[in-house]
Amino acid sequence: MTDAAALPGQPRGGVLSGPATERAVNVLAPNASAMTLDGTNTWIVAEPDSDLAVVIDPGPLDDGHLRNVLDTAEKAGKRIALTLLTHGHPDHAEGAVRFAELTGTRVRALDPALRLGDEGLAAGDVVTTGGLELRVVPTPGHTADSLSFHLPADRAVLTGDTVLGRGTTLVAHPDGRLGDYLDSLRRLRALTVDDGVRTVLPGHGPVLDDAQGAVEFYLAHRAHRLAQVETAVENGHRAPAEVVAHVYADVDRSLWPAAELSVRAQLDYLSEHGLI
């Protein structure tokens, strides 16, 4: 058995739901799958001495899960004051409208179509609720509307699907773009180097205790896959499905449709840069 500390990002073992840092608690949604890993992580974030909390990614439209999030906050003496979305994929955002009904909160997101209320989210915004400070970090690439949230007090960053707690994520072509994704990973790496971020609180999978190691692994993995795709094209495998069969031969076939999205994004990137 591989020691978790030896894996990229040092993923924590044990139960996924529950407290992760001094200010962040995870409530795991019951939607486990090959794409969502153990399920969607719904984060309740609050200052320890405040009665107000922020929820990030309510998750799927599952009333039991949404009420569990609300109950978890109430048992901790917190009232949900605001809902934030990292991006619009249904496993993160589908339950947002119902959750807003249950809590009476606004929903803030980058995409106007996902918002409830007048306020959105943009690069450089600082969300302050009950003394909590969350800094909005644009991290497009997985999707065009992907955001991360820097939690300075815990030296943590909530990454949605930009960095996962296990494995790697997909670039959801055509909405997601590889060039944007690589820039986003570099932006996250800068947080680890310049701002002391140590912990990744991902949208799926376990908490990562080595944020810099996780991001550097992601960058190296992307460079390796990109080189493999370029070589496959040079060897005559030009159709995306052919490239997937060649490059992702060791990956479970159930994941090949997702892999094809990433391959299409990689082919676009290589073409844009004159490499194929």
Side-chain angles (χ1 to χ4, degrees), residues 28 64-65 83 177 182 256:
L28 183 65
H65 170 64
T83 301
R177 295 176 56 82
L182 295 174
W256 279 18

Side-chain angles (χ1 to χ4, degrees), residues 118-131:
D118 297 330
E119 287 187 282
L121 291 170
D125 283 354
V126 179
V127 177
T128 55
T129 301

Side-chain angles (χ1 to χ4, degrees), residues 140-211:
H142 170 67
T143 60
D145 69 329
S146 287
L147 298 172
S148 295
F149 298 99
H150 177 199
L151 178 56
D154 283 349
R155 294 188 176 185
V157 61
L158 297 107
T159 55
D161 281 356
T162 299
V163 174
L164 304 179
R166 187 171 64 251
T168 56
T169 196
L170 66 88
V171 178
H173 180 275
D175 182 49
R177 295 176 56 82
L178 181 58
D180 291 342
Y181 187 65
L182 295 174
D183 287 343
S184 294
L185 291 177
R186 296 182 189 109
R187 194 170 296 119
L188 291 175
R189 182 171 60 184
L191 286 181
T192 71
V193 173
D194 300 332
D195 295 277
V197 167
R198 297 177 179 173
T199 305
V200 173
L201 306 176
H204 303 279
V207 172
L208 300 176
D209 288 320
D210 176 15

Side-chain angles (χ1 to χ4, degrees), residues 85-89 109-111 114 139-147 175:
L85 298 177
T86 61
H87 65 297
H89 279 168
L110 179 62
D111 184 349
L114 299 172
T139 48
H142 170 67
T143 60
D145 69 329
S146 287
L147 298 172
D175 182 49

